[in-house]
Amino acid sequence: MRKKVSVIGAGNVGASAAQLVAQASLADVVLFDIAGGIPQGKALDIAEACPLWNSSVSVKGTNSYADTKDSDMVVITAGFPRKPNMSRDDLLHANADVVKAVSGAIAKTSPNAIVIVVTNPMDVMAQLAWKTTEFSCKRVIGMGGILDAARLRTFLSWELNVSPEDIETIVLGGHGDQMVPLPRFTTVKGIAITEFLKKKTIDSLVHRTRNGGAEIVSLLKSGSAYYAPAAALVQMIKSILFDEKRMFPCAAYLNGEYGMKDIYLGVPVILGREGVERVVEIKLTKEERAQLKESCSTVKKLVKKLLI
Ligand code: APR
């Protein structure tokens, strides 16, 4: 039987993710939104592209949670994106209301689903979704690090004039501005980038990556990034649906790992059929540890604001 993926929020990120899932025939897709007509229209358009993609999955748009019933995976992209000069944190309260409502509905209609949270501020929203659904923390994951890593890989590939495919990196900490890069674990086909680039150059690429989301927001004027976020999401979905056990940086619940307790934060995890199958712990330098601690306390402050 084909798997079922429900995407909550038929906006830019949600619709792009639905498209990629359908195009790659990964699963049947249900696209849900509160706005009438939008999910139906976009789903119909995607369904009509399926013959051209040689894909036979079903794609349905809806305003009813009943259609999402018993999904294997649910992706939460519902909420509001950033506007220029707005931080992800400005979105906190507006998006918390949305994520609470969505998570409550999912818990009832898809009690066995694995949930990926994209809505920003993502680390906090992942914790909120976990609390609201009361699912095992293995089954609630935040998408952020994989996108930050992809942005850094892009900038490095331009700087080094090599394929981004051959660049590997891992980032820790909160999504976006709070990310903790790990240049010593960033390689071109296994060769550390510190062999090729001066610290100053690496720092400037890291700086651009931290502000990668804001750079796009300021260019678009309205709305935020969605092609790369959707692509990042689909790598996570695929690793879970096909039990690939790939390692990605994702926001996962930490209960002692990396010295952090009761918090969702970006760390390397193995994604498989169970969701987060394990958190991969690596030994950090003093400086990296300090950066991660700072990132954690920023996320914790927001969690406190929401009284999660
Ligand atoms: N239930 C379902 N859908 C909702 C709800 C709700 N309670 N509230 C809002 N939505 C829908 C909107 O109708 C809209 O179609 O969520 C969609 C959001 O789409 P966009 O505004 O295009 O935002 P998008 O760019 O997709 O970003 C979504 O992901 O990357 C993050 O910061 C970003 O938090 C934002 C989220």
Side-chain angles (χ1 to χ4, degrees):
M1 243 212 355
R2 262 201 309 260
K3 300 278 187 181
K4 176 172 175 179
V5 173
S6 288
V7 179
I8 313 298
N12 283 334
V13 177
S16 304
Q19 180 206 325
L20 293 175
V21 170
Q23 190 167 3
S25 306
L26 297 183
D28 289 334
V29 184
V30 177
L31 192 53
F32 173 98
D33 203 288
I34 40 162
I38 304 283
Q40 290 86 350
K42 291 190 181 182
L44 181 59
D45 195 5
I46 295 169
E48 288 167 357
C50 283
L52 306 165
W53 293 327
N54 301 323
S55 172
S56 35
V57 299
S58 95
V59 186
K60 184 182 172 76
T62 185
N63 305 117
S64 160
Y65 276 104
D67 291 315
T68 68
K69 193 173 158 34
D70 291 330
S71 297
D72 297 285
M73 293 191 69
V74 177
V75 179
I76 305 180
T77 74
F80 306 96
R82 268 195 290 179
K83 299 201 172 72
N85 300 320
M86 205 174 166
S87 78
R88 286 190 180 85
D89 302 345
D90 293 333
L91 294 177
L92 183 68
H93 291 282
N95 282 352
D97 291 343
V98 172
V99 169
K100 237 188 207 167
V102 170
S103 307
I106 293 169
K108 286 201 196 103
T109 42
S110 295
N112 300 313
I114 294 177
V115 179
I116 303 182
V117 181
V118 185
T119 306
N120 274 314
M122 179 279 295
D123 304 88
V124 188
M125 293 303 139
Q127 186 134 2
L128 181 59
W130 168 63
K131 276 273 158 117
T132 312
T133 54
E134 297 182 351
F135 286 180
S136 145
C137 59
K138 284 178 151 211
R139 291 201 283 124
V140 181
I141 316 156
M143 189 289 292
I146 182 168
L147 170 62
D148 294 330
R151 287 183 171 144
L152 183 56
R153 288 168 68 193
T154 308
F155 302 144
L156 282 165
S157 87
W158 292 343
E159 183 68 31
L160 294 163
N161 198 21
V162 299
S163 165
E165 203 183 326
D166 285 341
I167 298 175
E168 280 291 351
T169 189
I170 200 99
V171 298
L172 303 178
H175 175 41
D177 346 16
Q178 299 136 29
M179 80 172 208
V180 178
L182 297 176
R184 68 196 175 101
F185 294 122
T186 303
T187 70
V188 182
K189 270 277 182 264
I191 308 165
I193 52 158
T194 45
E195 294 285 318
F196 307 111
L197 297 172
K198 292 202 176 74
K199 184 174 180 305
K200 211 173 134 198
T201 312
I202 297 172
D203 286 348
S204 80
L205 299 178
V206 164
H207 178 76
R208 188 171 178 192
T209 306
R210 273 189 214 284
N211 297 302
E215 185 178 354
I216 290 175
V217 168
S218 72
L219 288 167
L220 293 180
K221 310 287 187 299
S222 86
S224 54
Y226 52 100
Y227 293 115
L233 251 172
V234 169
Q235 286 218 325
M236 292 170 68
I237 293 172
K238 186 162 172 266
S239 188
I240 292 168
L241 289 182
F242 293 86
D243 196 27
E244 291 177 334
K245 302 196 194 296
R246 294 195 64 188
M247 191 199 293
F248 294 124
C250 299
Y253 183 70
L254 301 182
N255 200 14
E257 295 92 344
Y258 288 93
M260 313 290 166
K261 259 200 164 296
D262 192 27
I263 189 82
Y264 265 82
L265 206 60
V267 289
V269 298
I270 303 297
L271 290 187
R273 96 160 69 88
E274 312 273 322
V276 172
E277 301 207 338
R278 64 179 190 274
V279 169
V280 177
E281 273 197 276
I282 45 178
K283 211 167 166 205
L284 300 180
T285 63
K286 215 169 139 191
E287 197 191 341
E288 289 159 356
R289 259 205 315 274
Q291 280 186 46
L292 187 63
K293 215 170 155 192
E294 200 182 316
S295 185
C296 178
S297 69
T298 311
V299 176
K300 267 207 163 143
K301 266 185 214 142
L302 298 182
V303 169
K304 259 201 184 141
K305 269 193 205 163
L306 288 181
L307 305 171
I308 304 175

